[in-house]
């Protein structure tokens, strides 16, 4: 019974909606021109209210989400998003304003944006920022355009951008879009940037370097002083990919240790649900000399009156209006509730949680870079592949059978059969222990019953898919027998 979909339960004697008669004596037919009217009634199932509610709740259960279970997707910071953020961001005073309203009418939202700018600059140690970019990659692109315009303003021709081999794929993509040629820099045996390789490649035709810190192995780049000397001495700029800010916020301020530009993934570090690809917010922060190149708008305040400013030599608008304001409101609420101490505590807990998993699973799964790590840890399934013929994909799929979302796999590219786990600060020790037990169980299964893993998942509503086919011929509609 409960497996039935609403189409199967549909019965024309039932109905969920009752549309009130309108009070003005207007016939619907006279409102919609005949060419826009349906020829036939829409094929919408008619069921009772409780049936439709159950339908959606059951559908939500067939998928994975944070409200249902652990989501250790490395690099993505899938932390829990407090309900209060949702509540505030869906307040009608936030929801019902329009960007075409007069500045005087929208002082409240401008105040929120102004405070958010201030708090984010305090956390990151930079001088100015724009909240407009709507994704991390979008913030990277903004940063690259800022670099490009900066060097143009100096009449310098710089065509190359250095990117470590552990970087996220968006880094080479956004620097290429902005007109630079990506040049790969090697990692050393500790998983940090290879300084010799950097020194060799940094020249006066190179605009700078994009660094993720901590990097995608979860390792803090400790050599920033030397990197700064090498890059700045040749006139270059240092961009920081701030996707991993959850590992350092409240403790390290990137703007104070040599970075020139940074993007923040508000939807990762500052709590917004972001599975399924968005929406997001990727505010970009800069040091003073770059502030005039920022994308619009910068919210300023004089005598308690808020205004929108278009920087003097702006790279131009990257999005309509102010960007994704709703995400900004969530970030604002999150930081306000957490406060200085809360932000720092979140960082510490994120690091403790990742290191707990690392310690408990060391020796069970290979750990190619066994260095001190922060908020995430990257194991390798290479031993399992060699000894039992079980791949990292098989291990990840088997985790779904136990009710966990899979970690990020096959990234970063410098680790073969990578398994990248980021528990975040919001998970309890009990949850981490359950996950660790399951990972150990899967290790046992790999030894005793590898076929089981190769066919996993077996307990989910949809079992092992041909991933490529599923992506290319995506079909999530259900038509049932009568439509077949
Ligand atoms: C998520 C991420 C990005 C890209 O951010 P989006 O908001 O997904 O565009 C860039 N770099 C790293 C390291 C990331 O984890």
């Amino acid at each position: 019974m409960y497996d039935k979909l609403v189409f199967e339960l549909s019965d024309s004697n039932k109905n969920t909606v009752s549309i009130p008669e309108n009070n003005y004596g207007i016939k619907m037919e006279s409102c919609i021109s005949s060419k826009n009217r349906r020829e036939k009634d829409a094929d919408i199932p008619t069921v009772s209210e409780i049936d439709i509610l159950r339908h959606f709740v059951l559908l939500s259960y067939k998928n994975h989400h944070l409200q249902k279970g652990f989501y250790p997707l490395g690099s993505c910071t899938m932390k829990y998003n407090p309900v209060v953020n949702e509540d505030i961001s869906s307040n009608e005073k936030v929801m019902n304003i329009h960007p075409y309203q007069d500045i005087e009418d929208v002082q409240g939202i401008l105040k929120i944006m102004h405070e958010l700018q201030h708090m984010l600059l305090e956390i990151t140690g930079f001088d100015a920022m724009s909240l407009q970019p709507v994704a991390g990659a979008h913030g990277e692109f903004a940063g690259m355009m800022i670099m490009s315009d900066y060097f143009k303003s100096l009449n310098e021709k710089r065509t190359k951008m250095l990117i470590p081999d552990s970087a996220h794929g968006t880094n080479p993509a956004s620097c290429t879009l902005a007109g630079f040629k990506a040049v790969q820099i090697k990692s050393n045996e500790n998983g940090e940037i290879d300084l010799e390789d950097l020194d060799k490649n940094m020249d006066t035709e190179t605009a700078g370097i994009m660094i993720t810190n901590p990097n995608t192995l979860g390792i803090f780049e400790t050599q920033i002083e030397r990197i700064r000397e090498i890059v700045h001495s040749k006139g270059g700029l240092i961009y920081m990919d701030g996707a991993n800010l959850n590992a350092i916020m409240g403790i390290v301020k990137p703007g104070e240790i040599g970075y020139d530009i940074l993007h923040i993934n508000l939807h990762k570090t500052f709590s917004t649900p972001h599975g399924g690809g968005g929406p997001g917010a990727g505010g970009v922060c800069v040091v003073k000399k770059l502030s005039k190149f920022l994308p619009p708008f910068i919210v300023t305040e004089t005598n308690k009156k808020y205004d929108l400013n278009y920087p003097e030599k702006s790279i131009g608008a990257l999005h309509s209006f102010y960007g994704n304001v709703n995400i900004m409101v969530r970030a604002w609420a999150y930081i306000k509730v957490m406060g200085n101490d809360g932000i720092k505590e979140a960082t510490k807990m994120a690091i403790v949680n990742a290191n707990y998993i690392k310690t408990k699973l060391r020796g069970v799964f290979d750990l190619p870079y066994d260095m001190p790590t922060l908020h995430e840890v990257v194991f390798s399934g290479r031993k399992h592949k060699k000894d039992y013929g079980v791949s990292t994909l098989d291990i990840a799929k088997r985790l779904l059978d136990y009710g966990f979302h899979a970690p990020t796999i096959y990234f970063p590219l410098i680790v073969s059969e990578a398994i990248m786990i980021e528990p975040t600060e919001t998970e309890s020790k009990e949850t981490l222990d359950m996950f660790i037990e399951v990972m150990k169980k899967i290790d046992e299964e790999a030894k005793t019953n590898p076929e089981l893993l190769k066919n996993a998942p077996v307990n989910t509503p949809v079992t092992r898919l041909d991933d490529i086919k599923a992506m290319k011929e995506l079909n999530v509609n259900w038509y049932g027998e009568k439509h077949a």
Side-chain angles (χ1 to χ4, degrees):
M1 157 73 191
Y2 285 122
D3 269 349
K4 283 209 169 132
L5 291 147
V6 283
F7 283 97
E8 296 166 301
L9 294 171
S10 182
D11 175 343
S12 57
N13 292 319
K14 296 177 185 166
N15 204 349
T16 306
V17 285
S18 52
I19 301 170
E21 295 289 321
N22 72 59
N23 294 330
Y24 308 100
I26 302 169
K27 287 215 163 67
M28 281 316 276
E29 294 83 54
S30 65
C31 301
I32 302 170
S33 74
S34 57
K35 81 168 196 293
N36 289 332
R37 263 179 251 154
R38 288 181 190 282
E39 286 168 10
K40 280 192 296 187
D41 279 348
D43 192 11
I44 297 170
T46 48
V47 288
S48 64
E49 183 171 313
I50 186 68
D51 286 339
I52 193 82
L53 268 177
R54 283 178 186 153
H55 169 77
F56 284 118
V57 171
L58 287 173
L59 268 191
S60 83
Y61 237 73
K62 288 183 172 162
N63 213 333
H64 192 88
H65 44 89
L66 252 168
Q67 283 78 358
K68 186 173 153 188
F70 188 39
Y71 211 134
L73 199 61
S75 212
C76 291
T77 311
M78 302 299 284
K79 62 165 85 177
Y80 173 68
N81 308 288
V83 177
V84 65
N85 301 352
E86 301 304 310
D87 208 34
I88 293 171
S89 67
S90 55
N91 181 299
E92 61 172 33
K93 290 180 181 166
V94 173
M95 293 272 283
N96 294 342
I97 51 178
H98 193 279
Y100 277 142
Q101 276 175 265
D102 284 344
I103 287 282
E104 284 73 28
D105 282 356
V106 292
Q107 288 288 303
I109 197 72
L110 295 186
K111 182 174 183 205
I112 288 179
M113 288 169 68
H114 187 259
E115 283 186 14
L116 181 61
Q117 283 173 195
H118 178 76
M119 295 189 295
L120 293 175
L121 291 174
E122 180 64 32
I123 290 171
T124 59
F126 282 92
D127 300 316
M129 78 170 300
S130 164
L131 289 162
Q132 194 187 47
V134 294
H138 208 197
E140 289 170 29
F141 176 67
M144 292 298 103
M145 291 303 290
I146 290 170
M147 278 206 198
S148 174
D149 281 9
Y150 168 74
F151 288 114
K152 268 185 210 144
S153 78
L154 299 178
N155 269 328
E156 286 182 24
K157 192 163 156 45
R158 297 192 181 233
T159 52
K160 292 182 282 179
M161 183 64 60
L162 309 181
I163 299 178
D165 55 8
S166 59
H168 194 268
T170 50
N171 290 188
S174 36
C175 91
T176 305
L177 259 184
F180 295 110
K181 184 173 173 295
V183 177
Q184 198 173 75
I185 299 294
K186 286 199 270 279
S187 299
N188 64 22
E189 68 282 2
N190 296 337
E192 293 189 53
I193 290 170
D194 183 327
L195 288 183
E196 254 177 59
D197 202 30
L198 172 65
D199 207 15
K200 206 171 74 199
N201 282 284
M202 185 64 217
D203 55 27
T204 51
E205 282 169 23
T206 302
I209 184 168
M210 298 179 88
I211 301 177
T212 309
N213 199 8
N215 65 24
T216 59
L217 293 165
I219 296 171
F220 190 78
E221 293 282 355
T222 54
Q223 318 171 100
I224 181 62
E225 272 181 50
R226 274 294 291 140
I227 295 171
R228 191 176 61 197
E229 276 167 28
I230 295 170
V231 176
H232 283 173
S233 71
K234 299 271 168 63
L237 295 173
I238 308 178
Y239 181 90
M240 178 167 145
D241 176 329
N244 292 339
L245 203 58
N246 212 54
I248 57 170
M249 60 173 179
I251 294 170
V252 177
K253 296 187 180 190
E256 290 179 359
I257 58 170
Y259 294 94
D260 299 296
I261 312 178
L262 161 96
H263 83 256
I264 306 169
N265 301 60
L266 292 185
H267 49 289
K268 291 180 181 173
T269 314
F270 299 107
S271 115
T272 275
H274 65 103
V284 58
C285 308
V286 293
V287 292
K288 196 161 190 149
K289 69 176 175 193
L290 300 175
S291 64
K292 58 177 179 256
F293 299 103
L294 281 169
F297 293 97
I298 318 298
V299 185
T300 51
E301 186 244 3
T302 19
N303 300 329
K304 293 233 158 42
K305 190 174 174 313
Y306 298 92
D307 210 350
L308 292 168
N309 282 274
Y310 200 99
E312 190 192 329
K313 294 195 167 201
S314 176
I315 57 166
L318 297 172
H319 196 75
S320 52
F321 304 113
Y322 318 155
N324 278 334
V325 172
N326 206 258
I327 314 294
M328 300 173 202
V329 176
R330 286 190 176 89
W332 173 83
Y334 178 78
I335 300 172
K336 283 271 192 191
V337 170
M338 297 289 278
N340 269 341
D341 293 344
I343 292 285
K344 194 183 279 186
E345 193 64 19
T347 297
K348 289 183 184 165
M349 289 309 297
I351 296 171
V352 167
N353 279 357
N355 278 279
Y356 183 66
I357 290 180
K358 180 181 174 181
T359 306
K360 292 282 185 177
L361 291 180
R362 182 187 273 122
V364 181
F365 291 90
D366 252 17
L367 200 52
Y369 292 92
D370 196 358
M371 303 299 295
T373 48
L374 300 184
H375 68 310
E376 61 196 0
V377 52
V378 182
F379 289 99
S380 166
R382 63 190 176 189
K383 187 184 79 189
H384 289 75
K385 185 156 191 187
K386 186 163 154 281
D387 294 353
Y388 320 116
V390 164
S391 70
T392 280
L393 181 71
D394 300 330
I395 294 167
K397 294 282 186 192
R398 184 63 177 150
L399 267 170
L400 308 182
D401 276 334
Y402 289 104
F404 293 110
H405 194 281
T408 295
I409 54 173
Y410 300 105
F411 178 75
L413 303 178
I414 54 172
V415 173
S416 67
E417 298 292 313
I419 306 173
M420 182 194 219
I421 301 169
E422 180 182 5
T424 83
E425 71 279 10
T426 54
E427 296 297 341
S428 66
K429 179 171 177 295
E430 288 74 16
T431 301
L432 302 185
D433 282 335
M434 278 193 295
F435 175 76
I436 289 159
E437 276 318 299
V438 163
M439 286 296 279
K440 287 181 176 167
K441 212 162 168 182
I442 292 174
D443 167 55
E444 274 305 309
E445 288 173 349
K447 291 173 194 156
T448 55
N449 191 0
E451 282 310 307
L452 178 64
L453 270 58
K454 286 181 204 165
N455 292 319
V458 294
N459 300 330
T460 48
V462 178
T463 51
R464 179 77 67 109
L465 290 173
D466 176 338
D467 285 348
I468 306 290
K469 192 167 151 62
M471 204 151 71
K472 293 211 155 155
E473 296 170 26
L474 183 69
N475 178 3
V476 290
N477 292 326
W478 185 89
Y479 294 107
E481 275 170 37
K482 77 176 168 168
H483 296 266

